[in-house]
Amino acid sequence: MTTPDPGSDRPLVVVTGASSGIGAASARALAADGWHPVLGARRVERLEQVAEETGGTPLELDVTDADSVAAFAAGVRDLAGPTRPLRGLVNNAGGAQGTETVLEADEDKWRWMWESNVLGTLRVTQSLLPLLLDSGDGHIVTITSIAGLETYDGGSGYTAAKHAEGALHRTLRGELLGQPVRLTEIAPGAVETEFSLVRFGGDSARAAKVYDGITPLVADDVAEVVAFAMNRPSHVNLDTIVLKPRDQASGMRFHRRT
Ligand code: 8X3
């Protein structure tokens, strides 16, 4: 006798960058709302922890590597089926490296930001779109950033990549018009996660300064918005959602209490 899979009647949602931060929090929020999260990231051990908490499925994924994305997509295809369609994709993997001016810009950091934010989102979206369409009611949520809507000093590599990622996502809104798939762009401002630690190459003192004297958003604040958007009825498409801490007016303007 085989053990029934408790996730078999829950729709699948792929979450990239699911090992920590906004990705892990989104997986938790969606699991609580009845989704079966398929968790993609490079750090498999951490993914397994999130999988345990959410009843989800961990699958190794490096969005900067086309072969890794192909293997990941094959794994998702194996999990999906008529009782468990792939109905959601949360494009969350990505990040920033450095705060050099344009004059000092480091090409390797730019390349990594384009690979992880732009081409990563392209690869994952391309490979999963057929399954999302087959479900008859798909939804793509892309976590961009306020950096996809404005520029700020020292942010050129990241703002350029996030603008491009936003353009890719928004283009789909037109190209897929008439097809059963919704598209939501969520553009957060300052969220305290590992984001700044990665940006500053592991320098925790510099990372902490970003949030000095403000009350930043936390990953759960964004995750609640992801889940809210995905749980609207099929005819309701929340198109673009910008969320910032009350203490932030723009990428460069904060109210700091210190
Ligand atoms: C992170 C927000 O303002 O550092 O995506 O670009 S910001």
Side-chain angles (χ1 to χ4, degrees):
M1 206 174 105
T2 53
T3 317
D5 177 349
S8 65
D9 57 352
R10 294 189 289 154
L12 299 180
V13 56
V14 163
V15 182
T16 69
S19 56
S20 66
I22 293 171
S26 297
R28 283 188 206 104
L30 289 164
D33 284 340
W35 293 78
H36 179 107
V38 183
L39 310 153
R42 284 167 303 174
R43 295 177 294 187
V44 175
E45 259 174 42
R46 289 177 69 166
L47 270 190
E48 277 163 3
Q49 277 170 25
V50 182
E52 226 166 84
E53 289 166 45
T54 58
T57 307
L59 289 178
E60 189 172 0
L61 171 65
D62 178 354
V63 300
T64 68
D65 175 345
D67 291 339
S68 171
V69 175
F72 177 84
V76 177
R77 275 193 292 277
D78 286 346
L79 284 170
T83 58
R84 179 152 87 160
L86 177 70
R87 284 202 36 232
L89 164 62
V90 181
N91 281 316
N92 165 71
Q97 278 191 9
T99 50
E100 291 82 8
T101 61
V102 172
L103 191 62
E104 302 284 329
D106 177 319
E107 266 195 35
D108 285 337
K109 290 180 182 171
W110 269 66
R111 214 167 274 119
W112 181 82
M113 288 188 271
W114 276 70
E115 275 290 340
S116 60
N117 294 286
V118 188
L119 294 171
T121 295
L122 174 65
R123 290 183 188 111
V124 173
T125 304
Q126 272 183 330
S127 65
L128 297 179
L129 191 52
L131 280 179
L132 290 161
L133 290 170
D134 279 353
S135 78
D137 190 10
H139 197 153
I140 299 171
V141 174
T142 303
I143 311 292
T144 60
S145 167
I146 58 167
L149 303 171
E150 56 172 280
T151 61
Y152 56 84
D153 301 355
S156 62
Y158 184 61
T159 57
K162 282 297 187 186
H163 274 71
E165 186 187 23
L168 153 64
H169 172 95
R170 286 166 227 148
T171 301
L172 285 171
R173 188 83 175 88
E175 290 180 354
L176 297 175
L177 192 62
Q179 309 262 22
V181 62
R182 290 182 284 161
L183 282 134
T184 301
E185 176 177 356
I186 298 183
V191 188
E192 190 164 12
T193 60
E194 290 173 6
F195 173 85
S196 293
L197 199 62
V198 172
R199 178 171 228 169
F200 295 119
D203 182 337
S204 50
R206 267 188 93 187
K209 268 187 103 68
V210 173
Y211 312 107
D212 220 17
I214 67 163
T215 304
L217 300 175
V218 294
D220 284 339
D221 296 323
V222 184
E224 280 177 16
V225 175
V226 172
F228 179 80
M230 297 196 75
N231 291 323
R232 292 311 87 213
S234 305
H235 68 289
V236 178
N237 191 84
L238 285 173
D239 203 293
T240 310
I241 304 168
V242 181
L243 68 159
K244 290 183 263 195
R246 191 176 61 187
D247 291 331
Q248 181 177 27
S250 71
M252 293 189 73
R253 288 189 67 203
F254 291 89
H255 172 70
R256 297 196 191 271
R257 278 175 290 278
T258 46

